[in-house]
Amino acid sequence: MKKISFFSLIVGLTVFLGSCDKDKTTDLLVKKSGSVNYVIDNVTNIPNPYPISNYMDNPEDADDEKINGHLLEISVALRNFLNTHPQNQYVFQKASASAISSINLITFINDLGSEYSGNSEFSNLATVIENADLTHLSLNPEDSGVIEQYVPAIYIPNLSNADITKQPILVAGFEVNSEMPGMEEYEDFVVAWYYDADGNLIETLLDENTVQNTSNPVFIVSNGEEETINRSREEFPLITNNKSASSTRTDFHSHEFQINHRYERSGRSEFCIASAHIDPTAVVHINLRKDNGTYNTWKEIREVEKKDIGKLLGHWEQFITTNASPVAPYGSSYTYWNTFERDWYSSAKDLGNGSGNGKTVYLAGERKYSSEWYAYNPSVVKNNRVDYGTIYSSWAKWHNNSKGKFRLWRVEL
């Protein structure tokens, strides 16, 4: 399935994953007393054939089941409150300031508490949020025993093209089980709800492509990292590489890889990479080029079938284009990267950071749990910049750990 994403990860003191037209957003703000335009744009209604509770279980991860239950409970309480007391203005303003287009729902409750004191729907929402236990025991073999701490959050993946005057579509941040009978074609879909003009609640299935092509704001209730949510968008202006590739040059690509651990509950694993580059002149670059020729802070290496976990696979992917992102001299270049399992419906989580030539870059990727990384624990990314000198002289270099393998190559074009 083709994957499309807008806000996938953060990069650097001078780089950010996406941009937002703040003037446009301001113009679209509706007053709390204003009416919502009940129009659904480019969303095909796909009836959900199973109760959503059928997608919550996870025999291999009791904490995941628990968190799914809380995300559903918050979603139900939130959709009821927003239907009668639209707070799209608040949600948009907070998400627009966040580097990962997200808001902390604990802050949401605290900020609105005095205004809605005594309101039964708000009181129920506050109780559900306050009682949500979003702790998760890491299943990453290299993070054994680590308890991950999360806050309830709203993530808006289509924030830059969403129309705040339209009613939001609410999503509980976990996917359907595509291994259930009749669900094979709905891999990576989620359950979503919206109200029509008559107050009827509509339940449908939604995929990432639809989310990126609708102007209805999509509010995904997610377990978020508080520190990552609090990163300011203004600190991360977007830098886009737009140089055309020269016909003769030395580039660096990836080829062989292997993942030894599966994070997916159902369907294929989305093995992805995040990266950013600080060149010898202290300019920060987005170095990953996608198939459409645009550069981004992440891209998919390949989807991996369950049967291929633990097998050495091969797939050529560009890693850095040297005329767009200069790397010479190699000793003065700083490229940081990490690989991870991507979940488009989850708020971005930290993948590490690194510094060089007076600049710092931060990586993050959309994934349900912080520990769903492959190459490096985010805390050690700063110690593992790309060794271009060795790759150039030896033509390739392996990066191995218990989670898998990844090989970067020198490529002469």
Side-chain angles (χ1 to χ4, degrees):
M1 181 184 297
K2 184 178 180 181
K3 303 296 187 296
I4 303 172
S5 179
F6 216 92
F7 298 105
S8 300
L9 47 99
I10 315 163
V11 179
L13 292 178
T14 55
V15 173
F16 175 58
L17 61 157
S19 61
C20 176
D21 185 340
K22 298 182 75 173
D23 291 335
K24 177 182 177 182
T25 302
T26 302
D27 291 343
L28 288 173
L29 294 181
V30 293
K31 301 298 182 183
K32 295 175 185 176
S33 59
S35 60
V36 174
N37 185 12
Y38 285 91
V39 174
I40 290 296
D41 174 40
N42 287 327
V43 177
T44 300
N45 188 15
I46 303 175
N48 180 18
Y50 294 98
I52 189 173
S53 57
N54 286 26
Y55 310 135
M56 292 165 49
D57 69 306
N58 188 341
E60 300 176 358
D61 188 349
D63 280 347
D64 184 51
E65 281 193 19
K66 173 193 69 178
I67 289 174
N68 289 343
H70 286 300
L71 295 182
L72 175 59
E73 193 175 12
I74 294 170
S75 300
V76 172
L78 185 65
R79 79 190 185 199
N80 291 340
F81 174 70
L82 289 180
N83 184 49
T84 54
H85 301 280
Q87 291 294 335
N88 298 358
Q89 178 181 9
Y90 174 95
V91 175
F92 262 67
Q93 287 175 334
K94 291 293 184 181
S96 295
S98 166
I100 62 168
S101 304
S102 300
I103 73 166
N104 184 335
L105 280 172
I106 295 175
T107 304
F108 178 91
I109 290 300
N110 291 338
D111 286 354
L112 301 184
S114 59
E115 180 178 352
Y116 287 99
S117 177
N119 179 276
S120 59
E121 289 161 339
F122 180 81
S123 178
N124 176 61
L125 175 61
T127 299
V128 169
I129 288 174
E130 290 166 1
N131 292 333
D133 177 5
L134 301 184
T135 56
H136 180 259
L137 176 63
S138 171
L139 297 186
N140 186 321
E142 296 194 13
D143 284 339
S144 179
V146 172
I147 303 295
E148 302 161 3
Q149 304 285 340
Y150 300 102
V151 295
I154 292 177
Y155 166 50
I156 311 178
N158 67 334
L159 185 144
S160 69
N161 64 308
D163 183 344
I164 195 174
T165 66
K166 295 179 181 177
Q167 84 269 41
I169 299 173
L170 266 293
V171 173
F174 55 90
E175 62 189 315
V176 305
N177 187 344
S178 61
E179 296 179 0
M180 295 179 66
M183 295 299 292
E184 296 82 2
E185 64 181 301
Y186 299 118
E187 182 177 347
D188 289 331
F189 278 65
V190 294
V191 178
W193 305 274
Y194 60 87
Y195 284 95
D196 64 18
D198 296 322
N200 300 309
L201 180 65
I202 310 299
E203 180 173 286
T204 187
L205 299 182
L206 204 64
D207 68 347
E208 185 177 10
N209 185 67
T210 300
V211 168
Q212 295 302 333
N213 286 285
T214 182
S215 59
N216 290 85
V218 178
F219 293 174
I220 302 180
V221 177
S222 178
N223 52 301
E225 290 179 340
E226 185 171 16
E227 183 176 351
T228 308
I229 292 172
N230 289 340
R231 288 177 181 166
S232 170
R233 182 184 301 275
E234 293 181 355
E235 295 180 51
F236 305 95
L238 175 69
I239 291 180
T240 302
N241 291 346
N242 56 9
K243 295 181 180 179
S244 59
S246 59
S247 57
T248 303
R249 65 188 189 277
T250 298
D251 278 2
F252 297 87
H253 292 217
S254 63
H255 185 239
E256 301 93 338
F257 73 94
Q258 176 178 318
I259 58 175
N260 297 329
H261 192 76
R262 176 175 163 83
Y263 296 116
E264 281 289 328
R265 171 70 178 90
S266 65
R268 293 162 290 187
S269 296
E270 295 173 71
F271 181 61
C272 295
I273 185 169
S275 182
H277 172 67
I278 307 168
D279 76 17
T281 65
V283 175
V284 179
H285 298 262
I286 298 173
N287 56 283
L288 299 175
R289 189 180 68 242
K290 294 198 172 186
D291 291 342
N292 62 7
T294 63
Y295 287 83
N296 210 318
T297 49
W298 78 280
K299 70 176 177 179
E300 182 178 280
I301 299 295
R302 211 184 91 174
E303 291 184 336
V304 180
E305 301 279 356
K306 184 187 297 186
K307 63 182 178 61
D308 289 329
I309 300 295
K311 295 181 181 179
L312 186 63
L313 305 173
H315 179 73
W316 284 107
E317 279 290 341
Q318 175 269 3
F319 177 74
I320 193 165
T321 303
T322 55
N323 72 307
S325 303
V327 299
Y330 298 143
S332 300
S333 281
Y334 296 81
T335 307
Y336 297 97
W337 63 281
N338 209 343
T339 50
F340 64 104
E341 162 64 38
R342 181 174 178 268
D343 301 307
W344 71 266
Y345 51 84
S346 295
S347 62
K349 295 172 178 66
D350 178 50
L351 278 170
N353 65 81
S355 301
N357 301 325
K359 298 293 178 64
T360 299
V361 292
Y362 297 88
L363 307 179
E366 294 162 339
R367 61 199 196 278
K368 190 168 183 182
Y369 297 115
S370 305
S371 57
E372 293 180 343
W373 51 265
Y374 283 108
Y376 299 111
N377 185 308
S379 65
V380 302
V381 164
K382 59 188 175 184
N383 302 323
N384 289 279
R385 64 169 166 150
V386 176
D387 184 1
Y388 288 114
T390 296
I391 298 173
Y392 185 88
S393 61
S394 302
W395 283 93
K397 182 177 180 178
W398 283 102
H399 302 81
N400 302 340
N401 62 19
S402 65
K403 303 286 291 304
K405 304 177 180 180
F406 192 73
R407 198 179 197 187
L408 287 174
W409 281 84
R410 165 189 168 187
V411 176
E412 294 295 332
L413 299 173

